[in-house]
Amino acid sequence: MTPMVKAEGVHKRFGRLEVLKGIDLEVQPGQVMCILGPSGSGKTTFLRCINHLEQINAGRLWVDGELVGYRQVGDKLYELPEREVARKRTEIGMVFQRFNLFGHMTALGNVVEAPIRVKKTPKDVAVRSAKELLVRVGLADKCDAYPSQLSGGQQQRVAIARALAMNPKLMLFDEPTSALDPELVGEVLDVMRTLAEIGMTMVVVTHEIGFARGAGDVAVFMDDGVVVESGDPQDVLVNPQHERTKAFLSKVL
Amino acid sequence: MQNKRFEWSVIRQYMTDPTILRGLVTTLELTALSMVIGIVLGVLLAVMRLSPNALVSGLAWLYIWFFRGTPVLVQILFWFNIAAVYPRFGVGLPFGGPQLTHLNFTTLITPFIAGVLALGLNEGAYMAEIVRAGLISVDEGQTEAAQALGMSRLLTMRRIVLPQAMRVIVPPTGNETISMLKTSSLVSVIAVVELLYAAQIIYARTYQTIPLLIVASLWYLICTTVLSIGQYYVERHYARGSRAQQAAMLDFWRNMTDIRPFFGLRR
């Protein structure tokens, strides 16, 4: 089976700062991979490389068997034209730490925007499925609310619905609960658990150890631009083998 | 106000004089056309300036540097005299190829066209900076979210960034429009019969200088007032989704329409 995400020796530099120092990972279809690690460890950067929001400097990164952002001729990589990059992004949903809902559009407007403008879905079809998605994330009554009228947890659930509206085969979550008040974290994690249960392939950068243990199939611990250890969440998060993982877990638990 | 030299009866008589009204229409046309050119050019230049391509952003910088750095009066005179430099403007194939089309600048560039070109091209430079300020005021997360959904750069700009930048762009643009209404009087130097020049034509004949200048001023005041009211509604439209701003606008309007202080009543 083709892995949904495959990374081979992925390097990323910002100027002289090397953020990713050779990442090798595989996510199988239907798997939920949780990436944990201290801030500055490169986990968010890696996630952003998966949909080419960041360009990698070395290595190879495939999504569903296709190189991300590049095409390979012989040994050389050529960056794909913007249109091709955009087309591939339609298959990858992304949820941000700061929600990034479109502030001038209602919840419904946010969800139907990309299906109508990018996928050219007829408006009535897009609106109908957007409403279904908002029901699924528990916001049936908030269709006409603007983001500024919603709580953080509600905004993040709209953001998840917005990403799902494109029918992605892969969902990326960048610390989806880090900007939320503690009592709002649960409602977002519940939506994510439901998604995991119906078999969505997910890569989740998170600090929620409980979520990683309960809903994750693979846990990855990153530090200083490398994968320190990865494997079954029960092993990595309950009986870590590396000192750095132990030190990190003892701080967050 | 009671000074007889104001000649209020003359003012009343000339407020609706056909020459004045024709001048007023020309002023409005000049303002509208120059602002349309200015805004379209401004958006284009602002997007160019923010381009990662150094050549593209450099070109926009050069344009703004030149048109913002020379007096608009000089630019008006320049466009008026352009036919002296380029009598004809041809579009053809290079290296002696056939000429595809040509424009006769001597007849094409009427004083009115020269005025619109000068004011519009000059305004473009100022609007570019206003639009740029608006574009960079929109959180980068908005662009990233749009791109992550597979939206192209152009679509992102049109559907996501520009509409939200409007909240920052509209107030100074209203200001520019009001300013343009008055600046358009400069084209009287190239004999475009706009509001001021119409008044000048009349007082050159009747020597009623002050009353006619007041006539022109009153018309300018009326137009700027109407524009200010229009600006309020445009701003309200683009305040969608911003609770704080909508509340502030409502407060402003309540205070503006609150007539109690005029009767010595406390709010």
Side-chain angles (χ1 to χ4, degrees):
Chain A
M1 193 158 45
T2 322
M4 188 54 82
V5 181
K6 185 172 180 213
E8 246 181 42
V10 169
H11 285 256
K12 172 68 190 174
R13 279 188 308 274
F14 290 115
R16 282 168 61 193
L17 180 73
E18 193 162 38
V19 188
L20 299 178
K21 301 169 181 171
I23 303 287
D24 301 289
L25 282 175
E26 264 188 35
V27 186
Q28 302 305 326
Q31 265 188 343
V32 176
M33 175 187 277
C34 293
I35 306 179
L36 300 97
S39 65
S41 59
K43 51 195 189 321
T44 290
T45 305
F46 176 68
L47 195 74
R48 292 163 57 86
C49 287
I50 298 178
N51 67 354
H52 205 54
L53 280 180
E54 305 286 356
Q55 288 132 298
I56 61 176
N57 298 111
R60 298 282 188 276
L61 192 55
W62 293 267
V63 169
D64 204 15
E66 285 185 67
L67 275 178
V68 172
Y70 299 91
R71 112 192 115 83
Q72 188 167 6
V73 180
D75 238 9
K76 283 191 128 179
L77 290 184
Y78 296 91
E79 187 161 16
L80 289 172
E82 192 206 329
R83 200 178 334 124
E84 284 297 301
V85 174
R87 189 185 60 74
K88 291 200 173 169
R89 281 185 183 139
T90 62
E91 301 171 343
I92 307 171
M94 184 154 189
V95 175
F96 299 85
Q97 183 178 353
R98 306 249 1 127
F99 329 132
N100 297 350
L101 287 183
F102 305 135
H104 60 307
M105 294 177 180
T106 60
L108 188 67
N110 266 277
V111 181
V112 298
E113 179 66 13
I116 292 176
R117 302 281 162 177
V118 179
K119 274 197 167 169
K120 313 288 180 202
T121 310
K123 197 175 170 203
D124 52 329
V125 178
V127 168
R128 208 179 316 130
S129 56
K131 283 184 173 163
E132 280 166 23
L133 279 168
L134 286 169
V135 170
R136 263 172 63 189
V137 298
L139 293 171
D141 54 336
K142 298 290 183 188
C143 283
D144 298 322
Y146 284 96
S148 62
Q149 298 162 331
L150 298 171
S151 74
Q154 291 170 332
Q155 286 189 57
Q156 194 61 299
R157 286 185 280 153
V158 174
I160 294 173
R162 175 176 72 177
L164 290 175
M166 295 296 277
N167 276 321
K169 49 188 180 191
L170 168 67
M171 284 284 285
L172 308 175
F173 293 84
D174 181 13
E175 303 198 27
T177 56
S178 297
L180 295 177
D181 291 337
E183 77 271 22
L184 303 176
V185 169
E187 62 191 60
V188 173
L189 291 182
D190 285 342
V191 170
M192 290 168 62
R193 269 190 208 100
T194 323
L195 262 185
E197 277 160 21
I198 60 169
M200 175 62 77
T201 313
M202 294 158 66
V203 180
V204 186
V205 170
T206 184
H207 294 296
E208 297 292 330
I209 309 286
F211 175 80
R213 280 218 312 244
D217 299 305
V218 186
V220 173
F221 178 73
M222 275 179 75
D223 192 13
D224 200 24
V226 293
V227 173
V228 177
E229 62 184 303
S230 68
D232 189 278
Q234 295 305 327
D235 297 334
V236 176
L237 300 172
V238 183
N239 300 308
Q241 300 303 306
H242 286 73
E243 285 307 316
R244 280 194 279 179
T245 318
K246 285 178 193 165
F248 175 75
L249 288 174
S250 69
K251 275 183 218 149
V252 295
L253 282 178
Chain B
M1 289 299 245
Q2 301 299 323
N3 191 328
K4 281 210 175 64
R5 281 169 219 145
F6 279 142
E7 298 186 73
W8 288 102
S9 61
V10 177
I11 292 171
R12 206 171 306 122
Q13 176 199 337
Y14 278 109
M15 275 305 276
T16 52
D17 182 273
T19 310
I20 293 286
L21 290 182
R22 264 197 305 270
L24 175 68
V25 169
T26 306
T27 288
L28 293 176
E29 284 170 353
L30 271 169
T31 308
L33 286 172
S34 324
M35 279 314 287
V36 167
I37 294 177
I39 290 169
V40 171
L41 208 57
V43 172
L44 201 73
L45 287 165
V47 173
M48 282 172 71
R49 269 213 68 180
L50 294 172
S51 161
N53 185 322
L55 180 73
V56 173
S57 71
L59 273 174
W61 181 89
L62 203 71
Y63 182 96
I64 295 166
W65 169 76
F66 183 80
F67 281 91
R68 216 172 49 166
T70 52
V72 66
L73 185 55
V74 173
Q75 290 174 31
I76 290 169
L77 292 169
F78 178 83
W79 283 105
F80 182 59
N81 292 300
I82 187 84
V85 189
Y86 300 106
R88 288 147 54 92
F89 180 79
V91 178
L93 298 175
F95 311 116
Q99 192 162 48
L100 300 176
T101 175
H102 76 272
L103 302 166
N104 190 338
F105 268 12
T106 330
T107 52
L108 184 77
I109 307 285
T110 62
F112 181 81
I113 301 276
V116 167
L117 275 176
L119 292 172
L121 296 184
N122 181 71
E123 187 57 32
Y126 284 92
M127 282 307 301
E129 291 296 276
I130 290 173
V131 174
R132 188 170 69 97
L135 295 181
I136 57 181
S137 78
V138 177
D139 182 45
E140 213 163 320
Q142 298 286 308
T143 309
E144 283 189 350
Q147 283 179 343
L149 286 165
M151 294 172 78
S152 68
R153 207 194 295 262
L154 203 70
L155 192 61
T156 304
M157 185 58 74
R158 191 165 64 81
R159 292 287 304 169
I160 308 300
V161 180
L162 254 182
Q164 296 187 78
M166 290 304 274
R167 267 171 53 197
V168 173
I169 294 172
V170 167
T173 303
N175 214 23
E176 288 293 305
T177 311
I178 286 170
S179 174
M180 177 63 80
L181 191 81
K182 299 173 296 170
T183 309
S184 68
S185 63
L186 282 180
V187 303
S188 58
V189 298
I190 55 172
V192 178
V193 190
E194 41 68 68
L195 186 50
L196 177 64
Y197 197 56
Q200 286 174 326
I201 288 171
I202 297 172
Y203 73 62
R205 194 178 65 226
T206 65
Y207 297 104
Q208 292 160 320
T209 310
I210 296 298
L212 274 145
L213 288 178
I214 292 175
V215 165
S217 302
L218 283 174
W219 271 119
Y220 280 119
L221 263 175
I222 292 168
C223 293
T224 51
T225 307
V226 171
L227 282 175
S228 306
I229 295 169
Q231 185 184 347
Y232 165 80
Y233 284 102
V234 177
E235 276 182 35
R236 200 177 60 167
H237 173 76
Y238 283 108
R240 268 175 318 171
S242 160
R243 237 186 323 185
Q245 187 140 350
Q246 271 173 341
M249 299 278 284
L250 218 66
D251 269 358
F252 169 79
W253 197 237
R254 275 202 203 102
N255 290 339
M256 285 290 283
T257 53
D258 190 347
I259 53 169
R260 279 170 293 180
F262 290 111
F263 300 103
L265 297 168
R266 309 241 330 247
R267 280 185 189 162

